[in-house]
Amino acid sequence: MRVHSLNCGTMASAGAGEPPAVCHCLLIETDADGLVLVDTGLGTVNLKDPAGSLGEDFLGWARPVLRSEETAVHQVEQLGFAASDVRHVVVTHLHRDHCGGLPDFPDASVHLHAAEHEAALPGEGIYLNAAYAHGPKWVTYAGLAGDEWMGFAGVRALDGLPPEILMVPLLGHTPGHVGVAVQSEDGWLLHAGDAYFHRNELHDAGEWPEGLDQLQARAETDRTQRLANRDRLREAVRRPDGPVVFSAHDPVEFAGRP
Ligand SMILES: [Zn+2]
């Protein structure tokens, strides 16, 4: 399957020397199930009403550029498709910078972990529901039932999608945070969402901006789970058959994608 990496939201740099952060989304061309979008980044609802849909706090620290050219729907159309060709969206979680594009694909089925659905639906606290007030066709997956895959437990295929797309529970950043594995023409990819923020977190050598640890600590809902899942990711990238792993916001990982 052909997999496109899209930046659906440039935001403030994570620290000195770091390029601006991205919202790394995947657009997958399946053989029989239309287009599948993994995360949506920021969408037209955010451009129309930045403060109402993202909150003044988020605008202050994330400083998203909010360009219509960066929305997933615009990029889907630039690739020669229609928005309605996107039949499925898989969201790693429902933080504002991951689901802002949902209203641009109102007919798509939106797959996510049940714990995330439950946490986010009231639209309170860190969750703002402007991106899902239209009532998406939610498809939820509860618990940790599933198979072992590359050292991860509870991995499963998704309803109506081919077995080359898998939901990989990476809980901890939020109650129902997941990664999404995709078997591309060049091998397995793993979109790890916000399970970590900086590429160096997966490698023995190298450091990362201190501010990112503080940002993670402010956001995380289960530190023990989050750090255990980051350890699994560190192990996965060392496997000879391991996936290419990237996170949602690291601009260098994004730049390395074809
Ligand atoms: Zn994020």
Side-chain angles (χ1 to χ4, degrees), residues 4 6 27 68-83:
H4 307 263
L6 311 178
L27 183 70
S68 62
E69 293 78 10
E70 287 192 342
T71 61
V73 64
H74 179 90
Q75 296 188 66
V76 164
E77 288 167 356
Q78 283 296 113
L79 287 166
F81 302 110

Side-chain angles (χ1 to χ4, degrees), residues 27-116:
L27 183 70
I28 306 164
E29 300 182 32
T30 71
D31 294 335
D33 303 302
L35 298 177
V36 179
L37 191 58
V38 177
D39 272 356
T40 71
L42 301 173
T44 59
V45 69
N46 305 124
L47 273 66
K48 281 189 206 114
D49 181 10
S53 66
L54 294 170
E56 294 288 0
D57 64 323
F58 182 89
L59 294 176
W61 62 262
R63 302 199 304 279
V65 301
L66 298 173
R67 293 175 61 227
S68 62
E69 293 78 10
E70 287 192 342
T71 61
V73 64
H74 179 90
Q75 296 188 66
V76 164
E77 288 167 356
Q78 283 296 113
L79 287 166
F81 302 110
S84 57
D85 293 333
V86 177
R87 300 201 343 228
H88 302 270
V89 180
V90 189
V91 282
T92 60
H93 61 305
L94 288 175
H95 280 168
R96 289 161 267 191
D97 48 329
H98 297 261
C99 65
L102 287 180
D104 297 324
F105 307 98
D107 299 323
S109 295
V110 179
H111 304 257
L112 78 172
H113 197 281
E116 191 66 16

Side-chain angles (χ1 to χ4, degrees), residues 152-170:
F152 299 95
V155 177
R156 55 190 142 192
L158 300 166
D159 294 346
L161 289 176
E164 291 87 4
I165 301 176
L166 301 172
M167 177 179 279
V168 181
L170 297 173

